[in-house]
Amino acid sequence: MPLLQDLLEQNIAQFGEYPLFYYSGKTYSNLDAQKYANRIAGNLQKNGIRKGDRVLVWMPNCPEVLFSYQGIARTGSIIVPVMFLLHAEEIAYILRNSGARAVITNAATMPKLRQAISGLPEKPVVFSADDITADPLEDAFTPVTGIREDHPAVILYTSGTTGSPKGVILTHRNLYSNAVNAATNTKEGQGREVTIGVLPLAHVYGLTISNVCYIKGYSVVVFAKFEPEQVFAAIEKYRVRSFSVVPAMVYAMYHHPKAEAYDLSSLESLGSGSAPLPEALRRGFLEKFGVEVLEGYGLSEAAPVVSSYKEGMPYKPGSVGVPIPGVEIKIVDPNDLEVPAGEVGELVVRGDSITPGYYQNREETARVLKNGWLYTGDLAKVDEDGYLYIVDRKKDLIIRGGFNIYPRDIEELLARHPAVLETAVIGVPDERMGEEVLAFVVKKPGDETSAQDLATYCLKHLAKNKVPKKFVFLDDLPRNGVGKILKTQLRKQAADLQP
């Protein structure tokens, strides 16, 4: 099976030179991408980066992110993509845990990076992506041999229930096979397809969609961030037929007051993932734009796509489609016995795209990988036609705007505040973002700390999207007989608070 870096080489061989990326008024061909990837590879090698070393990539969406991924892969080192929104303290943890020897960033993140590395005993080599296309750097690099398909290509950090991020290892086989199999479900168009790259390229969903574009020969309009009106303009200009989103983007486009000022007649469908899509929003979008929004399902540990809709499949409300080729699923009960169609159990998955485990975390690896199956922690069911439905989550995961937030991270931070006696954090439904973060707080007697004080405190230590939107002060938290906080009761109480 080919390696991750072969995707671009195969793209050039199959499709010849063509405009691969449009970004901020500039156009980059697939040959430009190859040249810049080679430059990055050569400069990493000159600075002592070798096969198996970890290289962190941290910047907003831009073509240089994808150039960096291809350049790192060419050296046999391992890509560590991180979200642009992460706090410096979170970056520092990932640098320490991964042992990254280099960082590729740009001017937008450089100040925060300096803060993140200030306390590290060993500082990584820092490269500015702003120099990749500006300086006359050498294109040459020394090809690396001995890279196998089962070698790690990416370590993707995702928050864990213990409060510390977990590094999901994804091999060349995992990523390549998932991209190839996901691409089989995409609809063929006439001539050169242009799609929109607005998902974070540091997120596994965005990373895989970019890999699919290499395979399909698509051109991509890359956006640093999601701005509905700019996306509308790109749809009109490039006659875009389809692209991938998260539900918060569907909501923003649906409610945007200037949507009707653009010619969106070329748009046929959106692929939605990373969070549940409200059925009312899907119907409203279809009625307003005549565009179907088709849900899929995936997770980082599956590299990530597990299920989606195939071309021509009838839509079933609430379903996330069927497993993509190369992916096998089962729904099992607590005794690991497969349940009949229509019954709810835990979704387990296996195939070439499943992670070999978590980086330096054997305990968590053993918990989720059993006899070749990945235990997703999601409750699901399959109907008689093989359609998959995600029913609920076994964990208390909050998904806000398509991004995972674990309550434990916020609870541990709040617990360190001098005013806080105890706290519990939950997700509450939100029409725009899918879910919002709500924190229940018991303050120490007589303390006058306000909700704004706690929000300001959180903002100093957490990415903005993780800061609770609302704080509710209680005299005590509901508990069961053994002292465990009853979040089910808190969710009912939160529902009563909703307007």
Side-chain angles (χ1 to χ4, degrees):
M1 183 176 292
L3 306 174
L4 193 61
Q5 61 268 34
D6 296 329
L7 286 168
L8 179 55
E9 306 305 322
Q10 292 175 343
N11 171 278
I12 293 169
Q14 182 175 355
F15 301 106
E17 184 176 9
Y18 73 92
L20 180 59
F21 302 127
Y22 300 104
Y23 176 75
S24 193
K26 297 180 181 179
T27 301
Y28 300 90
S29 73
N30 50 357
L31 294 185
D32 290 330
Q34 183 187 53
K35 176 175 67 176
Y36 296 138
N38 289 346
R39 283 186 181 182
I40 292 168
N43 279 272
L44 288 171
Q45 289 179 334
K46 285 180 184 178
N47 284 273
I49 304 304
R50 298 291 180 261
K51 184 168 68 176
D53 289 342
R54 276 75 63 205
V55 180
L56 189 141
V57 180
W58 185 29
M59 54 187 136
N61 274 15
C62 57
E64 286 81 1
V65 174
L66 298 172
F67 302 157
S68 297
Y69 291 167
Q70 282 287 312
I72 294 166
R74 279 161 166 68
T75 67
S77 46
I78 302 169
I79 305 161
V80 182
V82 292
M83 297 294 293
F84 170 61
L85 293 174
L86 289 188
H87 193 277
E89 291 182 11
E90 296 170 301
I91 296 298
Y93 174 85
I94 293 171
L95 285 167
R96 287 193 300 270
N97 186 262
S98 68
R101 295 196 57 223
V103 179
I104 302 176
T105 187
N106 65 8
T109 51
M110 193 66 77
K112 204 185 289 187
L113 177 64
R114 293 194 184 101
Q115 182 183 349
I117 66 177
S118 62
L120 297 178
E122 294 186 21
K123 307 292 191 292
V125 180
V126 177
F127 298 89
S128 174
D130 299 324
D131 299 332
I132 293 171
T133 57
D135 290 348
L137 303 175
E138 294 183 17
D139 295 348
F141 76 100
T142 304
V144 177
T145 60
I147 306 173
R148 299 197 312 267
E149 61 182 38
D150 61 345
H151 281 170
V154 170
I155 299 176
L156 191 76
Y157 278 83
T158 178
S159 294
T161 54
T162 61
S164 297
K166 297 175 295 184
V168 180
I169 300 169
L170 296 174
T171 66
H172 289 272
R173 180 194 293 118
N174 294 156
L175 289 162
Y176 189 93
S177 66
N178 195 262
V180 169
N181 290 323
T184 64
N185 281 6
T186 59
K187 184 177 180 180
E188 297 294 341
Q190 299 296 321
R192 175 77 60 208
E193 286 281 320
V194 181
T195 189
I196 290 174
V198 73
L199 296 172
L201 296 172
H203 189 283
V204 68
Y205 190 18
L207 173 61
T208 293
I209 295 302
S210 66
N211 289 339
V212 169
C213 290
Y214 291 134
I215 293 167
K216 304 292 286 188
Y218 291 167
S219 299
V220 188
V221 186
V222 179
F223 287 99
K225 60 181 180 178
F226 177 72
E227 296 286 355
E229 200 165 352
Q230 292 180 10
V231 170
F232 293 149
I235 295 169
E236 178 179 278
K237 178 178 180 179
Y238 295 102
R239 308 302 296 161
V240 174
R241 288 193 314 109
S242 181
F243 62 102
S244 296
V245 294
V246 296
M249 296 175 183
V250 180
Y251 179 93
M253 289 188 287
Y254 176 63
H255 289 283
H256 199 279
K258 295 185 178 180
E260 294 177 356
Y262 294 87
D263 179 5
L264 307 180
S265 60
S266 65
L267 194 62
E268 298 176 5
S269 66
L270 297 176
S272 180
S274 292
L277 178 73
E279 178 61 19
L281 178 58
R282 186 197 70 82
R283 288 198 306 267
F285 200 90
L286 179 60
E287 292 170 2
K288 182 173 183 177
F289 297 109
V291 174
E292 188 70 83
V293 186
L294 301 174
E295 270 198 280
Y297 167 80
L299 64 166
S300 298
E301 290 85 347
V305 184
V306 171
S307 68
S308 67
Y309 277 85
K310 297 178 183 178
E311 181 180 354
M313 275 182 61
Y315 179 80
K316 291 192 178 187
S319 171
V320 292
V322 298
I324 66 171
V327 172
E328 184 181 354
I329 68 170
K330 287 195 305 185
I331 310 297
V332 300
D333 66 15
N335 297 316
D336 284 344
L337 298 176
E338 190 169 4
V339 302
E343 289 193 15
V344 175
E346 182 173 1
L347 172 64
V348 298
V349 184
R350 71 177 175 186
D352 282 344
S353 60
I354 301 304
T355 176
Y358 298 105
Y359 186 68
Q360 295 185 338
N361 194 335
R362 292 183 179 180
E363 181 179 351
E364 192 68 12
T365 298
R367 188 184 68 81
V368 302
L369 293 174
K370 304 172 187 177
N371 300 317
W373 291 90
L374 168 68
Y375 283 67
T376 67
D378 286 329
L379 298 175
K381 62 183 179 180
V382 174
D383 70 13
E384 63 279 359
D385 297 320
Y387 282 68
L388 175 64
Y389 298 77
I390 305 300
V391 176
D392 204 347
R393 293 171 180 81
K394 291 176 69 176
K395 304 171 186 176
D396 290 323
L397 177 69
I398 300 169
I399 301 181
R400 180 187 183 277
F403 299 109
N404 293 354
I405 299 172
Y406 279 83
R408 179 75 176 271
D409 298 345
I410 306 167
E411 289 166 353
E412 290 188 352
L413 175 64
L414 284 171
R416 296 201 296 267
H417 191 283
V420 175
L421 189 62
E422 58 181 355
T423 184
V425 174
I426 64 170
V428 294
D430 181 81
E431 185 180 12
R432 178 170 175 265
M433 301 305 295
E435 287 184 294
E436 278 289 359
V437 183
L438 187 153
F440 289 95
V441 174
V442 178
K443 293 191 294 184
K444 294 177 181 176
D447 191 277
E448 295 182 359
T449 298
S450 68
Q452 184 57 53
D453 293 334
L454 292 179
T456 301
Y457 166 75
C458 289
L459 196 58
K460 291 180 180 178
H461 301 280
L462 291 173
K464 186 176 180 180
N465 67 314
K466 297 181 181 180
V467 175
K469 185 178 182 180
K470 188 172 184 178
F471 293 82
V472 176
F473 296 108
L474 301 176
D475 293 330
D476 51 59
L477 297 176
R479 299 178 183 273
N480 65 10
V482 295
K484 183 178 179 181
I485 295 171
L486 297 173
K487 288 193 173 182
T488 51
Q489 290 190 21
L490 291 176
R491 290 190 181 95
K492 292 177 182 177
Q493 187 171 342
D496 293 335
L497 295 171
Q498 297 297 304

